Amino acid sequence: MINPCDKIYIVEERPNPTTDLYILPAFLGQGRDVIKLSLHELPKLKANSTFSVVFVRYLSASWKRFLKQHRAQLVDLVFFMDDDLFDLSATKGTPFRYRHKLYKLAFKHQAWLRSMDASLWLSTPHLMEKYQSWQPVQVLPRPMAQPTEVITVFYHGSSSHKREIHWLYDVMKSVLEQDERISFEIIGGKEVNKQYKSLPRTVVSHPMSWETYTRWIAQPGRAIGLAPLLDEPFNHARSYTKFFDITQAGAVGIYADASQYSEVVTHGKNGYLLNMEKLSWVNAILELAGNTAKRDQMLENARLSVNSLAQG
């Protein structure tokens, strides 16, 4: 569907299911050089190189200027939509802010797309029939390839741990950048979501009752639990109860060393004890993520420790 060229740029507002389910699968197995960019990222072209662009749902003024400037190198231009973005009446009943977004990023660019001889790719027979004057191409969805391994790291501190939540951001940003197998789970409200929503593969769960939490934490799938504690008066009275939660989750814990955790955790045996230096936590998380056998042995030891504490 795309003629031979040096590079194909897939342009999206942000990572989204439309790209993963429709557009990326269209190029699988073709050996094409496909690069994803955002609406505000522009490539640096080599002289005499050729390229094609697929806009996923939306396009921007900066990209329009870029394509006008480099039209001689442009091979194919495509606009894909999986909703009716070219008819504002079809969005009746949706929030005004969303309708304004569709107008700004899709609807008002129809004439420009036609002037650029853009191809229209569509997702459903309904859209194919409605926009048949474009001579559109239908693209069918395909299931996303599942990652070979997912390693879930989590921190379940309450709102009283606001400083620890803030402290962990840099740690997890570095970890997530270095190992794409790792996902992160944290509990918090709007403030936590605002801080962490930019991190990839990160889920912010709402605070919940203790009864709900005890059942949620018992669900399988978590690998590494975090229990940082900054050196401040309120934390001096903390006990080692997170050791129980992390072990119940089937995970190995990384704990602050200058705390009560040192009473139940032996470093390297049933968990890690670390000082509150961010790089140490980054390296420890990456190390444990890369060593399943070590995590399994440490988890077994942690469970033995919990059983021993339960028996008094």
Side-chain angles (χ1 to χ4, degrees):
M1 295 187 288
I2 296 287
N3 290 306
C5 58
D6 295 320
K7 294 184 185 297
I8 299 172
Y9 296 109
I10 296 175
V11 183
E12 58 186 3
E13 182 185 26
R14 60 175 65 91
N16 65 90
T18 299
T19 299
D20 288 348
L21 293 173
Y22 289 95
I23 305 306
L24 288 178
F27 299 106
L28 285 177
Q30 296 184 17
R32 311 295 294 269
D33 189 358
V34 177
I35 299 171
K36 289 172 60 176
L37 295 173
S38 78
L39 287 174
H40 306 293
E41 291 179 293
L42 300 174
K44 294 183 178 179
L45 301 179
K46 294 182 179 179
N48 302 318
S49 65
T50 59
F51 70 100
S52 295
V53 175
V54 179
F55 287 113
V56 180
R57 293 177 56 91
Y58 309 122
L59 63 93
S60 63
S62 59
W63 267 97
K64 288 169 69 173
R65 290 191 296 269
F66 176 84
L67 293 178
K68 182 179 180 180
Q69 180 182 356
H70 299 284
R71 188 165 186 176
Q73 295 170 261
L74 178 65
V75 174
D76 284 304
L77 176 61
V78 174
F79 187 88
F80 174 80
M81 61 183 186
D82 55 348
D83 287 316
D84 195 349
L85 309 181
F86 287 170
D87 182 358
L88 290 182
S89 67
T91 66
K92 185 178 180 180
T94 61
F96 172 79
R97 184 175 180 180
Y98 180 65
R99 299 183 76 192
H100 178 70
K101 173 183 176 179
L102 298 187
Y103 173 82
K104 182 180 178 181
L105 298 180
F107 177 84
K108 76 173 187 178
H109 302 298
Q110 293 178 69
W112 179 85
L113 287 167
R114 284 191 179 274
S115 73
M116 293 289 291
D117 295 322
S119 298
L120 186 63
W121 290 1
L122 302 171
S123 61
T124 63
H126 170 77
L127 292 173
M128 292 288 291
E129 181 178 356
K130 185 168 182 176
Y131 296 101
Q132 57 183 307
S133 65
W134 286 74
Q135 296 183 308
V137 174
Q138 185 174 2
V139 179
L140 298 176
R142 301 185 196 176
M144 291 186 295
Q146 297 299 313
T148 54
E149 185 179 12
V150 177
I151 300 168
T152 299
V153 178
F154 67 95
Y155 175 61
H156 292 168
S158 66
S159 58
S160 65
H161 289 280
K162 180 183 291 189
R163 291 191 62 196
E164 281 79 14
I165 290 171
H166 181 75
W167 181 88
L168 266 178
Y169 178 85
D170 291 337
V171 172
M172 290 312 305
K173 183 177 186 295
S174 179
V175 167
L176 293 165
E177 287 173 347
Q178 295 184 62
D179 193 334
E180 292 188 352
R181 300 171 306 159
I182 294 176
S183 63
F184 183 53
E185 175 184 276
I186 188 169
I187 293 175
K190 291 182 179 180
E191 186 175 347
V192 177
N193 185 63
K194 183 178 180 180
Q195 181 179 14
Y196 277 85
K197 67 180 181 180
S198 63
L199 295 186
R201 306 182 305 281
T202 296
V203 174
V204 180
S205 296
H206 289 289
M208 61 197 76
S209 70
W210 173 246
E211 182 181 14
T212 300
Y213 178 76
T214 57
R215 285 157 177 75
W216 183 60
I217 195 65
Q219 296 174 4
R222 300 176 179 91
I224 301 169
L226 307 180
L229 277 178
L230 293 168
D231 185 13
E232 51 189 36
F234 190 71
N235 285 334
H236 295 166
R238 300 278 185 180
S239 188
Y240 45 72
T241 55
K242 284 296 179 188
F243 179 69
F244 303 150
D245 296 342
I246 291 172
T247 305
Q248 183 185 3
V252 172
I254 300 177
Y255 306 91
D257 62 353
S259 68
Q260 296 296 314
Y261 291 114
S262 60
E263 295 185 14
V264 294
V265 176
T266 301
H267 181 73
K269 182 179 179 181
N270 59 354
Y272 273 7
L273 288 171
L274 300 179
N275 60 34
M276 292 296 290
E277 196 278 316
K278 292 180 180 179
L279 184 58
S280 298
W281 286 67
V282 170
N283 291 337
I285 294 169
L286 293 172
E287 178 195 344
L288 286 175
N291 194 332
T292 303
K294 186 172 186 176
R295 291 202 314 271
D296 289 345
Q297 183 59 60
M298 291 174 68
L299 175 58
E300 182 179 346
N301 292 339
R303 284 170 170 160
L304 291 173
S305 298
V306 169
N307 289 339
S308 177
L309 290 166
Q311 294 170 8

PDB file of all heavy atoms in Angstrom, residues 167-186:
ATOM      1  N   TRP A 167      10.012  10.709  45.273  1.00  0.00           N
ATOM      2  CA  TRP A 167      11.392  10.227  45.168  1.00  0.00           C
ATOM      3  C   TRP A 167      11.516   9.100  44.144  1.00  0.00           C
ATOM      4  O   TRP A 167      12.493   9.024  43.396  1.00  0.00           O
ATOM      5  CB  TRP A 167      11.843   9.747  46.557  1.00  0.00           C
ATOM      6  CG  TRP A 167      13.249   9.238  46.630  1.00  0.00           C
ATOM      7  CD1 TRP A 167      14.378   9.966  46.864  1.00  0.00           C
ATOM      8  CD2 TRP A 167      13.676   7.882  46.469  1.00  0.00           C
ATOM      9  NE1 TRP A 167      15.486   9.144  46.872  1.00  0.00           N
ATOM     10  CE2 TRP A 167      15.086   7.860  46.634  1.00  0.00           C
ATOM     11  CE3 TRP A 167      13.021   6.687  46.218  1.00  0.00           C
ATOM     12  CZ2 TRP A 167      15.828   6.692  46.532  1.00  0.00           C
ATOM     13  CZ3 TRP A 167      13.757   5.514  46.112  1.00  0.00           C
ATOM     14  CH2 TRP A 167      15.149   5.523  46.269  1.00  0.00           C
ATOM     15  N   LEU A 168      10.522   8.232  44.089  1.00  0.00           N
ATOM     16  CA  LEU A 168      10.588   7.065  43.206  1.00  0.00           C
ATOM     17  C   LEU A 168      10.461   7.405  41.727  1.00  0.00           C
ATOM     18  O   LEU A 168      10.833   6.601  40.870  1.00  0.00           O
ATOM     19  CB  LEU A 168       9.470   6.073  43.564  1.00  0.00           C
ATOM     20  CG  LEU A 168       9.813   4.956  44.534  1.00  0.00           C
ATOM     21  CD1 LEU A 168       8.577   4.109  44.809  1.00  0.00           C
ATOM     22  CD2 LEU A 168      10.943   4.075  43.985  1.00  0.00           C
ATOM     23  N   TYR A 169       9.944   8.585  41.413  1.00  0.00           N
ATOM     24  CA  TYR A 169       9.697   8.909  40.007  1.00  0.00           C
ATOM     25  C   TYR A 169      10.971   8.773  39.169  1.00  0.00           C
ATOM     26  O   TYR A 169      10.971   8.117  38.120  1.00  0.00           O
ATOM     27  CB  TYR A 169       9.125  10.322  39.884  1.00  0.00           C
ATOM     28  CG  TYR A 169       8.902  10.734  38.445  1.00  0.00           C
ATOM     29  CD1 TYR A 169       7.732  10.396  37.779  1.00  0.00           C
ATOM     30  CD2 TYR A 169       9.878  11.445  37.739  1.00  0.00           C
ATOM     31  CE1 TYR A 169       7.529  10.748  36.454  1.00  0.00           C
ATOM     32  CE2 TYR A 169       9.689  11.797  36.416  1.00  0.00           C
ATOM     33  CZ  TYR A 169       8.511  11.453  35.779  1.00  0.00           C
ATOM     34  OH  TYR A 169       8.337  11.795  34.456  1.00  0.00           O
ATOM     35  N   ASP A 170      12.052   9.379  39.600  1.00  0.00           N
ATOM     36  CA  ASP A 170      13.301   9.323  38.834  1.00  0.00           C
ATOM     37  C   ASP A 170      13.830   7.897  38.736  1.00  0.00           C
ATOM     38  O   ASP A 170      14.393   7.498  37.710  1.00  0.00           O
ATOM     39  CB  ASP A 170      14.359  10.213  39.472  1.00  0.00           C
ATOM     40  CG  ASP A 170      14.029  11.700  39.336  1.00  0.00           C
ATOM     41  OD1 ASP A 170      13.272  12.056  38.413  1.00  0.00           O
ATOM     42  OD2 ASP A 170      14.519  12.489  40.165  1.00  0.00           O
ATOM     43  N   VAL A 171      13.661   7.143  39.816  1.00  0.00           N
ATOM     44  CA  VAL A 171      14.107   5.748  39.814  1.00  0.00           C
ATOM     45  C   VAL A 171      13.381   4.962  38.725  1.00  0.00           C
ATOM     46  O   VAL A 171      13.984   4.298  37.882  1.00  0.00           O
ATOM     47  CB  VAL A 171      13.861   5.096  41.189  1.00  0.00           C
ATOM     48  CG1 VAL A 171      14.132   3.594  41.136  1.00  0.00           C
ATOM     49  CG2 VAL A 171      14.741   5.764  42.248  1.00  0.00           C
ATOM     50  N   MET A 172      12.051   5.058  38.724  1.00  0.00           N
ATOM     51  CA  MET A 172      11.276   4.258  37.778  1.00  0.00           C
ATOM     52  C   MET A 172      11.392   4.795  36.350  1.00  0.00           C
ATOM     53  O   MET A 172      11.334   4.017  35.389  1.00  0.00           O
ATOM     54  CB  MET A 172       9.816   4.186  38.207  1.00  0.00           C
ATOM     55  CG  MET A 172       9.605   3.354  39.459  1.00  0.00           C
ATOM     56  SD  MET A 172      10.451   1.730  39.427  1.00  0.00           S
ATOM     57  CE  MET A 172       9.824   1.008  37.906  1.00  0.00           C
ATOM     58  N   LYS A 173      11.572   6.067  36.187  1.00  0.00           N
ATOM     59  CA  LYS A 173      11.789   6.617  34.847  1.00  0.00           C
ATOM     60  C   LYS A 173      13.026   5.987  34.221  1.00  0.00           C
ATOM     61  O   LYS A 173      13.015   5.549  33.057  1.00  0.00           O
ATOM     62  CB  LYS A 173      11.944   8.138  34.909  1.00  0.00           C
ATOM     63  CG  LYS A 173      12.104   8.817  33.551  1.00  0.00           C
ATOM     64  CD  LYS A 173      12.165  10.333  33.727  1.00  0.00           C
ATOM     65  CE  LYS A 173      12.182  11.042  32.370  1.00  0.00           C
ATOM     66  NZ  LYS A 173      13.407  10.747  31.592  1.00  0.00           N
ATOM     67  N   SER A 174      14.100   5.918  34.992  1.00  0.00           N
ATOM     68  CA  SER A 174      15.333   5.311  34.500  1.00  0.00           C
ATOM     69  C   SER A 174      15.156   3.820  34.237  1.00  0.00           C
ATOM     70  O   SER A 174      15.599   3.293  33.207  1.00  0.00           O
ATOM     71  CB  SER A 174      16.458   5.547  35.509  1.00  0.00           C
ATOM     72  OG  SER A 174      17.657   4.962  35.063  1.00  0.00           O
ATOM     73  N   VAL A 175      14.496   3.123  35.149  1.00  0.00           N
ATOM     74  CA  VAL A 175      14.282   1.677  34.989  1.00  0.00           C
ATOM     75  C   VAL A 175      13.466   1.378  33.730  1.00  0.00           C
ATOM     76  O   VAL A 175      13.823   0.515  32.927  1.00  0.00           O
ATOM     77  CB  VAL A 175      13.572   1.102  36.231  1.00  0.00           C
ATOM     78  CG1 VAL A 175      13.054  -0.305  35.965  1.00  0.00           C
ATOM     79  CG2 VAL A 175      14.528   1.088  37.424  1.00  0.00           C
ATOM     80  N   LEU A 176      12.378   2.094  33.545  1.00  0.00           N
ATOM     81  CA  LEU A 176      11.491   1.843  32.411  1.00  0.00           C
ATOM     82  C   LEU A 176      12.150   2.183  31.085  1.00  0.00           C
ATOM     83  O   LEU A 176      11.847   1.569  30.055  1.00  0.00           O
ATOM     84  CB  LEU A 176      10.199   2.634  32.580  1.00  0.00           C
ATOM     85  CG  LEU A 176       9.315   2.174  33.748  1.00  0.00           C
ATOM     86  CD1 LEU A 176       8.259   3.224  34.070  1.00  0.00           C
ATOM     87  CD2 LEU A 176       8.660   0.843  33.452  1.00  0.00           C
ATOM     88  N   GLU A 177      13.059   3.141  31.099  1.00  0.00           N
ATOM     89  CA  GLU A 177      13.791   3.484  29.882  1.00  0.00           C
ATOM     90  C   GLU A 177      14.793   2.399  29.504  1.00  0.00           C
ATOM     91  O   GLU A 177      15.083   2.202  28.324  1.00  0.00           O
ATOM     92  CB  GLU A 177      14.524   4.821  30.066  1.00  0.00           C
ATOM     93  CG  GLU A 177      13.608   6.031  30.065  1.00  0.00           C
ATOM     94  CD  GLU A 177      14.349   7.307  30.415  1.00  0.00           C
ATOM     95  OE1 GLU A 177      15.508   7.215  30.895  1.00  0.00           O
ATOM     96  OE2 GLU A 177      13.766   8.400  30.247  1.00  0.00           O
ATOM     97  N   GLN A 178      15.301   1.685  30.502  1.00  0.00           N
ATOM     98  CA  GLN A 178      16.369   0.720  30.249  1.00  0.00           C
ATOM     99  C   GLN A 178      15.887  -0.702  29.994  1.00  0.00           C
ATOM    100  O   GLN A 178      16.622  -1.499  29.403  1.00  0.00           O
ATOM    101  CB  GLN A 178      17.343   0.719  31.431  1.00  0.00           C
ATOM    102  CG  GLN A 178      18.093   2.032  31.604  1.00  0.00           C
ATOM    103  CD  GLN A 178      19.112   1.963  32.729  1.00  0.00           C
ATOM    104  OE1 GLN A 178      20.059   1.174  32.683  1.00  0.00           O
ATOM    105  NE2 GLN A 178      18.928   2.797  33.754  1.00  0.00           N
ATOM    106  N   ASP A 179      14.692  -1.053  30.436  1.00  0.00           N
ATOM    107  CA  ASP A 179      14.208  -2.431  30.262  1.00  0.00           C
ATOM    108  C   ASP A 179      12.733  -2.394  29.874  1.00  0.00           C
ATOM    109  O   ASP A 179      11.865  -2.129  30.705  1.00  0.00           O
ATOM    110  CB  ASP A 179      14.395  -3.226  31.560  1.00  0.00           C
ATOM    111  CG  ASP A 179      14.203  -4.726  31.345  1.00  0.00           C
ATOM    112  OD1 ASP A 179      13.479  -5.113  30.408  1.00  0.00           O
ATOM    113  OD2 ASP A 179      14.775  -5.514  32.123  1.00  0.00           O
ATOM    114  N   GLU A 180      12.448  -2.685  28.607  1.00  0.00           N
ATOM    115  CA  GLU A 180      11.076  -2.597  28.107  1.00  0.00           C
ATOM    116  C   GLU A 180      10.190  -3.728  28.610  1.00  0.00           C
ATOM    117  O   GLU A 180       8.975  -3.692  28.409  1.00  0.00           O
ATOM    118  CB  GLU A 180      11.074  -2.575  26.578  1.00  0.00           C
ATOM    119  CG  GLU A 180      11.676  -1.301  26.004  1.00  0.00           C
ATOM    120  CD  GLU A 180      11.501  -1.199  24.509  1.00  0.00           C
ATOM    121  OE1 GLU A 180      11.050  -2.193  23.894  1.00  0.00           O
ATOM    122  OE2 GLU A 180      11.805  -0.131  23.948  1.00  0.00           O
ATOM    123  N   ARG A 181      10.769  -4.728  29.258  1.00  0.00           N
ATOM    124  CA  ARG A 181       9.951  -5.808  29.824  1.00  0.00           C
ATOM    125  C   ARG A 181       9.262  -5.370  31.109  1.00  0.00           C
ATOM    126  O   ARG A 181       8.281  -5.982  31.531  1.00  0.00           O
ATOM    127  CB  ARG A 181      10.819  -7.032  30.129  1.00  0.00           C
ATOM    128  CG  ARG A 181      11.539  -7.642  28.939  1.00  0.00           C
ATOM    129  CD  ARG A 181      12.518  -8.692  29.428  1.00  0.00           C
ATOM    130  NE  ARG A 181      13.420  -8.126  30.423  1.00  0.00           N
ATOM    131  CZ  ARG A 181      14.111  -8.840  31.325  1.00  0.00           C
ATOM    132  NH1 ARG A 181      13.981 -10.153  31.352  1.00  0.00           N
ATOM    133  NH2 ARG A 181      14.920  -8.246  32.177  1.00  0.00           N
ATOM    134  N   ILE A 182       9.770  -4.307  31.722  1.00  0.00           N
ATOM    135  CA  ILE A 182       9.296  -3.898  33.045  1.00  0.00           C
ATOM    136  C   ILE A 182       8.088  -2.976  32.925  1.00  0.00           C
ATOM    137  O   ILE A 182       8.064  -2.046  32.113  1.00  0.00           O
ATOM    138  CB  ILE A 182      10.419  -3.210  33.828  1.00  0.00           C
ATOM    139  CG1 ILE A 182      11.535  -4.225  34.135  1.00  0.00           C
ATOM    140  CG2 ILE A 182       9.897  -2.591  35.116  1.00  0.00           C
ATOM    141  CD1 ILE A 182      12.738  -3.624  34.831  1.00  0.00           C
ATOM    142  N   SER A 183       7.073  -3.245  33.750  1.00  0.00           N
ATOM    143  CA  SER A 183       5.954  -2.330  33.939  1.00  0.00           C
ATOM    144  C   SER A 183       5.933  -1.911  35.404  1.00  0.00           C
ATOM    145  O   SER A 183       6.527  -2.573  36.252  1.00  0.00           O
ATOM    146  CB  SER A 183       4.633  -2.986  33.541  1.00  0.00           C
ATOM    147  OG  SER A 183       4.366  -4.103  34.373  1.00  0.00           O
ATOM    148  N   PHE A 184       5.228  -0.815  35.682  1.00  0.00           N
ATOM    149  CA  PHE A 184       5.220  -0.278  37.040  1.00  0.00           C
ATOM    150  C   PHE A 184       3.793  -0.037  37.493  1.00  0.00           C
ATOM    151  O   PHE A 184       2.955   0.448  36.737  1.00  0.00           O
ATOM    152  CB  PHE A 184       6.021   1.020  37.109  1.00  0.00           C
ATOM    153  CG  PHE A 184       6.131   1.599  38.490  1.00  0.00           C
ATOM    154  CD1 PHE A 184       6.583   0.835  39.555  1.00  0.00           C
ATOM    155  CD2 PHE A 184       5.792   2.933  38.736  1.00  0.00           C
ATOM    156  CE1 PHE A 184       6.693   1.366  40.831  1.00  0.00           C
ATOM    157  CE2 PHE A 184       5.899   3.483  39.998  1.00  0.00           C
ATOM    158  CZ  PHE A 184       6.350   2.687  41.050  1.00  0.00           C
ATOM    159  N   GLU A 185       3.534  -0.358  38.759  1.00  0.00           N
ATOM    160  CA  GLU A 185       2.210  -0.215  39.345  1.00  0.00           C
ATOM    161  C   GLU A 185       2.354   0.577  40.643  1.00  0.00           C
ATOM    162  O   GLU A 185       3.188   0.254  41.491  1.00  0.00           O
ATOM    163  CB  GLU A 185       1.649  -1.604  39.627  1.00  0.00           C
ATOM    164  CG  GLU A 185       0.324  -1.658  40.342  1.00  0.00           C
ATOM    165  CD  GLU A 185      -0.051  -3.101  40.633  1.00  0.00           C
ATOM    166  OE1 GLU A 185      -0.618  -3.748  39.738  1.00  0.00           O
ATOM    167  OE2 GLU A 185       0.260  -3.582  41.740  1.00  0.00           O
ATOM    168  N   ILE A 186       1.532   1.622  40.781  1.00  0.00           N
ATOM    169  CA  ILE A 186       1.598   2.462  41.968  1.00  0.00           C
ATOM    170  C   ILE A 186       0.175   2.864  42.349  1.00  0.00           C
ATOM    171  O   ILE A 186      -0.707   2.930  41.493  1.00  0.00           O
ATOM    172  CB  ILE A 186       2.481   3.709  41.712  1.00  0.00           C
ATOM    173  CG1 ILE A 186       2.720   4.506  43.003  1.00  0.00           C
ATOM    174  CG2 ILE A 186       1.912   4.591  40.617  1.00  0.00           C
ATOM    175  CD1 ILE A 186       3.789   5.582  42.858  1.00  0.00           C
TER     176      ILE A 186
END
